[in-house]
Amino acid sequence: MIDRPESEPTPLDDAARAGWLYYVAGLTQDQIARELGTSRQRAQRLVSRAISERLIHVRLEHRVSGCLHLEAALTRRFGLKLARVAPSIGADVDPLPSIAPTAAAEVERVLRSERPMVVAFGTGRSLRATVEEMTSMVCEQHKIVSLNGNISADGSASYYDVIFRIADRVRAPHYPMPMPVIAQDAAERELFHALKPVQSVLRLARNADVTFVGLGQMGADAPLLKDGFITAAELEEMQQLGAAGEVAGWVFDSDGRYLETSINQRVAGVRVEISSDRTAVAIAGGKPKLAALRAGLKGRLFNGLITDELTAQALLS
């Protein structure tokens, strides 16, 4: 048997080439078929596969005027240091595919700074989608740190932890938080916090220049419940106490005040704090996130927001 040469094109190579010819070179599908020596139908399938396999990333570089007006209104209304609004993709549709590229562009803007900074990241679906949209960079001048633990209750790595993914993209020194997201009890949390390596990471996270976080809702579809970090009984207890949302595992009420609950006493990571010289940016959108967003803005838990048009309009109404 003859070994297949490493240089022989794979199906993904063909899809990538077809995607490049269509989106960058501007060729028609007939022209792509001739270029690749294949049928028009296969050329069409290859272009579709380039999208489905995420070989092609689409990013809108022109700022839509309606989004710009909403950004200005959000900044004025809530005293934000940063507001970015992505074009909506329709009512009752998850806006994350629109928000993530906008958030990725903002993360890249921060990381392009030549001034060395500590940049902290939470976990969750919004952060993971954002990182997936980022381009490769070399940012050795910065330190990337995790804001919260990355270990589930059973000892497995959290599926939505992003610190290793973003470190691969930006080639920066990175500092994971080697703890559970939520400890079994307060005593276990203190044991972790007593470890010197953990103390070093906690100091970095607390003093981060810029922080990017997602927001979790506290309804029946709460991410803390779905991902197995809390029980249904614990969720119900916090709902009765007025829980409106959570950020990096820390649960807050409708006034944006962190609740005094057993869960918050067990959260192993760093509580999000803002100041005049530090920016904490929430990346969130959609109807399920509105209560958490309104509460977080009211309590000034973050001073930056990346969302979509429909969510921005709802927050301003």
Side-chain angles (χ1 to χ4, degrees):
M1 180 181 293
I2 299 176
D3 292 336
R4 175 176 175 164
E6 292 185 4
S7 60
E8 184 177 336
T10 67
L12 281 184
D13 291 333
D14 290 338
R17 182 176 294 276
W20 190 93
L21 291 170
Y22 187 78
Y23 288 101
V24 180
L27 301 189
T28 67
Q29 291 176 358
D30 286 328
Q31 291 171 321
I32 294 170
R34 287 196 296 271
E35 182 72 21
L36 298 182
T38 187
S39 67
R40 184 183 187 280
Q41 290 75 16
R42 183 167 185 270
Q44 185 179 30
R45 289 195 297 270
L46 288 171
V47 171
S48 298
R49 186 172 184 184
I51 292 294
S52 65
E53 295 284 350
R54 302 186 66 81
L55 305 178
I56 299 292
H57 293 263
V58 178
R59 182 178 295 177
L60 182 66
E61 297 293 347
H62 179 72
R63 304 292 296 282
V64 178
S65 61
C67 295
L68 291 172
H69 290 309
L70 288 169
E71 290 171 2
L74 288 169
T75 300
R76 289 193 303 269
R77 172 79 66 86
F78 300 109
L80 299 177
K81 295 178 68 174
L82 169 80
R84 295 287 182 267
V85 176
S88 290
I89 52 180
D92 300 319
V93 177
D94 182 5
L96 190 54
S98 178
I99 296 172
T102 302
E106 184 59 31
V107 175
E108 291 170 9
R109 186 192 66 80
V110 169
L111 294 176
R112 278 195 294 270
S113 171
E114 295 182 358
R115 179 176 68 88
M117 291 189 295
V118 177
V119 185
F121 289 88
T123 60
R125 293 158 179 80
S126 296
L127 270 297
R128 175 164 176 156
T130 296
V131 173
E132 293 297 330
E133 293 292 338
M134 290 179 61
T135 57
S136 296
M137 308 172 67
V138 178
C139 305
E140 296 174 346
Q141 72 274 29
H142 302 312
K143 293 180 179 178
I144 307 298
V145 62
S146 182
L147 196 64
N148 48 343
N150 61 359
I151 302 174
S152 300
D154 62 0
S156 62
S158 173
Y159 181 73
Y160 293 105
D161 183 63
V162 302
I163 193 70
F164 296 109
R165 286 184 173 86
I166 193 167
D168 287 341
R169 293 289 173 97
V170 303
R171 299 189 200 173
H174 58 288
Y175 301 81
M177 193 78 74
M179 299 186 292
V181 177
I182 298 177
Q184 292 298 309
D185 50 46
E188 182 183 78
R189 176 180 181 268
E190 295 309 312
L191 283 174
F192 278 108
H193 283 200
L195 299 173
K196 286 188 176 181
V198 171
Q199 290 176 359
S200 297
V201 177
L202 288 170
R203 277 194 298 271
L204 277 176
R206 289 189 182 111
N207 294 296
D209 299 286
V210 183
T211 297
F212 291 95
V213 295
L215 290 183
Q217 63 270 29
M218 293 301 292
D221 58 344
L224 287 178
L225 176 66
K226 290 174 65 176
D227 296 339
F229 297 127
I230 62 173
T231 66
E234 290 170 331
L235 174 62
E236 183 178 357
E237 175 189 346
M238 287 186 288
Q239 289 172 336
Q240 291 174 353
L241 292 172
E246 58 90 8
V247 54
W250 293 88
V251 181
F252 53 87
D253 65 15
S254 59
D255 290 321
R257 296 176 299 197
Y258 290 114
L259 293 175
E260 296 297 327
T261 68
S262 61
I263 294 298
N264 278 355
Q265 293 171 1
R266 292 159 44 201
V267 176
V270 171
R271 182 178 289 189
V272 177
E273 304 282 357
I274 64 171
S275 64
S276 59
D277 60 343
R278 296 171 60 197
T279 304
V281 182
I283 302 171
K287 289 181 180 178
K289 305 287 186 183
L290 279 174
L293 280 166
R294 289 190 176 110
L297 288 165
K298 184 176 182 179
R300 291 192 56 77
L301 299 183
F302 43 87
N303 54 7
L305 175 62
I306 302 175
T307 190
D308 70 297
E309 282 180 289
L310 291 179
T311 303
Q313 290 166 0
L315 292 172
L316 291 165
S317 63

